[in-house]
């Protein structure tokens, strides 16, 4: 009962911590967040192909629900760039952006994404996010940044480009029309961008995007405004998010369900990764399933209050933490204060130039590209580089939801490829200088250390499962057929997991070694592995005398009772300490 209460009503865990000091800190952080999200909400809605107010509605509704029912104390949910561009890509093929049909399809997409996320939470599938490589997210967001910048080029140059065209076609149209670009429009966009950059670099405490938009509005007015072809944003309605209704027809749900899954997956990846990044600084424990629940519920509720799909925002969440937020009330305060600001300043948005919005969106797109991580990936891993580039180019040239799936699939394939080739390390005994104790070390550390001619000691450094079973079997065959070993001792301290295929392979190899007059022995298996082998009766089939608790017990028993002592008496190596201890069977007398 307590578990269900905590899962369905997680705010009961942090509500008792609220006091006068936390309220003050959360209120200050909330005000900062409300000011920051004002221009972002308008920009993100534009990217999504929606009227500007829908970004602000999303920033009012989703943060409250996600804060109450999520697990992070600092995550701020709402509209994000990556989600916005996926929403536009998913819906623009079915309806004209900005139209009533487009808006209703977007609300339906949001509802379906929330249902997927809620289903993941109830099925306790929060661990699934761990299988999505961070490199996929970096590659996707970098590609999304290029697409976002591309989508704004017509507004920056003041030219007409058909919506919904491919990346290459869009750039071809823009380049063809460059001679006809509007200089006034271009001036407003570039100066807004420069002002935002200067403020961000030199006056970091001020809301650079908001001030840049104000400056862009002034510049547009001085240049002549509408009379010189500078388009303005329509006035945002000065009211709270109105009630809305998604389209629940079977045809619409069937049409949008695949894209909704991609939106749900991307939203969960964003939310959980951001939560964990901030939790590493705040030392808070994040529950992935609870975060799934909060995100899913926020999107479901939001779809009935004119909000489109949202997720965690790294910018606003990071700012929330650095502003001193203590509890999730900061997100709730930010949403409430944003609503109050909209009621007061909504008429002023009618003076906001679209080119100034495009300049701000360009900066948002630039900030999406994680150059530091990209450089590190190129320097350290070819496999991760291939994942990054595949996701990046798929984002540019394929459907966005397919790009996400492709990146995730490739990262899983490479993960399986890595785990399918575990290290089978040859171990040799040596004496530890400090203590004089006999220890086993990797033979490749010192090639001069001899191996026992009769007993091969190896350690498997990874799980023994269907993906790795063939590789391990090939290594055992090489040791027996090429190196001539009939007896192999497997040290199991590095085996974290074993499945039915892996256990059957070891049983098969054991039978092969026995038929050759030797044996396959095991020592130091972890409890989880031991339990699986015992439940499957593999220890009975192989033989209980082939399993040992420790490697020292195994080596002592094998050298004293199993090895050919006639061979031992003539062996000059005698690598084990037990080789120097009696009793050993004396050599047979020579036949006359």
């Amino acid at each position: 009962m307590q578990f269900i209460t905590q899962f369905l009503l997680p705010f009961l865990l942090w509500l008792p911590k609220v006091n006068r000091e936390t309220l003050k800190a959360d209120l200050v952080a909330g005000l900062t967040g409300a000011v920051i999200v004002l221009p972002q909400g308008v920009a993100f809605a534009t990217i999504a192909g929606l009227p500007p107010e829908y970004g602000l509605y999303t920033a009012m509704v989703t943060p409250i629900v996600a804060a109450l029912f999520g697990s992070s104390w600092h995550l701020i949910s709402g509209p994000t760039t990556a989600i916005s561009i996926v929403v536009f890509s998913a819906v623009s093929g079915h309806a004209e952006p900005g139209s009533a049909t487009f808006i209703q399809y977007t609300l339906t997409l949001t509802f379906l994404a929330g249902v997927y996320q809620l289903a993941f939470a109830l099925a306790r599938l929060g661990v699934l996010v761990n299988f999505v490589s961070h490199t996929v997210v970096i590659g996707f967001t970098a590609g999304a940044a290029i697409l976002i910048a591309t989508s704004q080029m017509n507004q920056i140059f003041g030219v007409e480009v058909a919506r919904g065209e491919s990346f290459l076609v869009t750039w071809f149209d823009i380049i063809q029309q460059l001679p006809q670009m509007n200089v006034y429009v271009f001036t407003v966009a570039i100066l807004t961008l420069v002002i935002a950059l200067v403020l961000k670099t030199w006056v970091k405490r001020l809301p650079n995007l908001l001030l840049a938009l104000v400056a862009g509005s002034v510049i547009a007015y001085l240049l002549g405004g509408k009379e010189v072809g500078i388009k303005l944003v329509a006035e945002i309605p000065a009211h709270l998010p109105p009630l809305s209704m998604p389209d629940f027809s079977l045809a619409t749900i069937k049409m949008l369900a695949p894209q909704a899954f991609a939106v749900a997956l991307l939203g969960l990846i964003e939310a959980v990764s951001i939560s964990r990044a901030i939790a590493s600084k705040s030392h808070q424990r994040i529950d992935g399933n609870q975060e799934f629940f909060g995100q899913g519920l926020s999107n479901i509720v939001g779809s009935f209050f004119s909000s489109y799909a949202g997720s965690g925002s790294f910018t606003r969440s990071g700012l929330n933490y650095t502003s001193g937020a203590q509890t999730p009330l900061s997100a709730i305060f930010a949403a409430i204060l944003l609503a109050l600001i909209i009621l007061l300043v909504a008429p002023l948005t009618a003076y906001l130039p679209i080119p100034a919005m495009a300049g701000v969106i360009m900066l948002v797109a630039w900030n999406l590209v994680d150059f530091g991580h990209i450089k590190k990936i190129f320097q350290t891993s070819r496999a991760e580089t291939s994942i990054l580039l595949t996701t990046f180019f798929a984002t540019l040239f394929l459907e966005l939801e397919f790009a996400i799936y492709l990146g995730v699939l490739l990262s899983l394939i490479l993960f399986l490829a890595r785990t399918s080739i575990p290290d089978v390390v040859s171990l040799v005994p040596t004496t530890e200088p400090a203590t004089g104790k006999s220890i086993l070390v990797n033979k490749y550390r010192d090639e001069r250390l001899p191996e026992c001619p009769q007993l091969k000691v190896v350690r498997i450094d990874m799980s023994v499962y269907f993906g790795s079973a063939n590789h391990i079997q090939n290594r055992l065959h090489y040791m027996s057929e090429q190196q001539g070993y009939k007896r192999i001792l497997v040290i199991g301290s590095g085996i974290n997991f074993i499945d039915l295929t892996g256990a059957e392979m070891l049983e098969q190899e054991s039978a092969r070694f026995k038929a050759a007059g030797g044996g396959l022995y095991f020592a130091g298996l972890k409890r989880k592995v031991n339990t699986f082998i015992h439940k499957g009766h593999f220890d009975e089939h192989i033989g209980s005398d082939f399993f040992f608790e420790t490697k020292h017990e195994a080596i002592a028993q094998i050298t004293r009772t199993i090895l050919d002592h006639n061979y031992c008496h003539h062996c000059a190596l005698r690598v084990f300490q037990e080789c120097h201890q009696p009793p050993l069977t004396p050599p047979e007398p020579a036949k006359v």
Side-chain angles (χ1 to χ4, degrees), residues 215-277:
S217 301
V218 173
I219 294 168
Y221 174 78
L222 294 175
L223 290 176
K226 288 184 178 180
E227 295 180 3
V228 294
I230 300 174
K231 297 178 182 178
L232 302 178
V233 174
E235 182 180 333
I236 294 175
H239 55 66
L240 299 177
L243 292 175
S244 58
M245 179 61 68
D247 181 1
F248 292 120
S249 67
L250 187 61
T252 302
I253 292 175
K254 184 178 179 181
M255 176 178 68
L256 296 175
Q259 292 94 333
F261 186 84
V263 171
L265 182 62
L266 181 60
L268 294 177
I269 294 168
E270 281 192 316
V272 175
S273 59
I274 292 167
S275 297
R276 288 177 176 170

Side-chain angles (χ1 to χ4, degrees), residues 382-442:
R382 288 185 179 179
E384 294 294 325
T385 299
S386 66
I387 294 174
L388 175 72
L389 294 176
T390 300
T391 310
F392 175 77
F393 287 114
T395 303
L396 292 181
F397 300 110
L398 303 177
E399 295 294 331
L400 283 182
E401 59 271 18
F402 182 71
I404 298 171
Y405 299 148
L406 185 62
V408 171
L409 179 63
L410 183 59
S411 63
L412 288 176
I413 289 173
L414 290 177
F415 168 77
L416 290 173
R418 291 191 197 105
T419 59
S420 67
I421 309 177
D423 288 331
V424 182
V425 182
S426 296
L427 301 177
V428 291
T430 188
T431 303
E432 193 175 40
T435 62
K437 292 174 61 177
S438 178
I439 58 172
L440 294 173
V441 297
N442 189 336

Side-chain angles (χ1 to χ4, degrees), residues 54 57 107 239-246 301-307:
Y54 281 82
Y57 295 158
L107 295 175
H239 55 66
L240 299 177
L243 292 175
S244 58
M245 179 61 68
V301 172
S303 68
F304 293 98
F305 287 91
S306 302
S307 302

Side-chain angles (χ1 to χ4, degrees), residues 157-205:
F157 293 112
V159 297
E160 294 296 328
V161 175
R163 283 183 175 270
E165 296 289 354
S166 67
F167 172 72
L168 291 177
V169 171
T170 300
W171 272 106
F172 181 76
D173 290 346
I174 291 170
I175 292 170
Q176 273 194 324
Q177 297 183 61
L178 277 182
Q180 291 84 43
M181 82 170 185
N182 188 316
V183 177
Y184 298 102
V185 170
F186 181 75
T187 302
V188 172
I190 294 302
L191 288 180
T192 303
L193 174 60
V194 171
I195 291 169
L197 278 170
V198 170
L199 289 173
K200 180 184 178 182
T201 306
W202 299 104
V203 196
K204 295 183 179 180
R205 290 185 175 273

